Amino acid sequence: MKNLLVGIVVVVLGLLAYNYVTTGEVSLTAAFTLSAEEQQVRELERDLHATIKSFNEAGRTAGLAGVDMTADADAARRTVLQIKKEVKALQKRLTEDGAKRRAAELAAEVDKFVAELR
């Protein structure tokens, strides 16, 4: 019985952690209740965060090893600019308030990163 309770607690905590990582919300059902619009915004958020991570890694590699990582940094910059275009196009099509809010936050995050690049 004790093992069963521990197993249930582990599963619940795992689900909470998964939902927090994928949606930014602590909820048991958040991952299962995202609308198609919210999923599109989440996908662009994941792409942006992966690109920013890649850009930062290129900067660290260049600083530590003295290797020219200009091409990697430029590719990340172009990807962020493409994401910016996709976010603007998506914002025009969104109808749900939650998705609009997340898209506006994402657009602000993209603009902030683009400003840091200059």
Side-chain angles (χ1 to χ4, degrees), residues 52-70:
I52 290 173
K53 181 179 177 183
S54 174
F55 180 82
N56 290 335
E57 287 174 359
R60 280 192 297 276
T61 301
L64 292 174
V67 178
D68 183 14
M69 301 299 291
T70 308

Side-chain angles (χ1 to χ4, degrees), residues 1-2 15-16 26 29-30 37 42 50-51 59 71 78 89 105 108 114:
M1 186 67 168
K2 186 176 180 181
L15 184 59
L16 287 172
V26 178
T29 60
E37 290 182 351
R42 302 282 185 211
T51 303
R78 280 185 272 125
E105 291 171 0
V114 169

Side-chain angles (χ1 to χ4, degrees), residues 36-53:
E37 290 182 351
E38 289 173 325
Q39 289 175 358
Q40 290 175 331
V41 175
R42 302 282 185 211
E43 184 178 321
L44 287 174
E45 285 175 336
R46 282 188 213 110
D47 291 346
L48 175 66
H49 294 147
T51 303
I52 290 173
K53 181 179 177 183

Side-chain angles (χ1 to χ4, degrees), residues 2-14:
K2 186 176 180 181
N3 289 339
L4 178 63
L5 285 175
V6 170
I8 291 172
V9 169
V10 169
V11 169
V12 169
L13 290 175

Side-chain angles (χ1 to χ4, degrees), residues 58-109:
R60 280 192 297 276
T61 301
L64 292 174
V67 178
D68 183 14
M69 301 299 291
T70 308
D72 290 344
D74 188 51
R77 183 188 59 79
R78 280 185 272 125
T79 302
V80 169
L81 293 177
Q82 180 62 37
I83 291 171
K84 181 177 181 174
K85 289 179 187 176
E86 291 176 19
V87 169
K88 286 185 186 249
L90 182 62
Q91 282 180 306
K92 293 176 184 176
R93 297 189 316 259
L94 294 176
T95 58
E96 298 175 3
D97 291 335
K100 287 180 181 180
R101 180 184 50 80
R102 294 292 295 201
E105 291 171 0
L106 180 59
E109 189 175 351

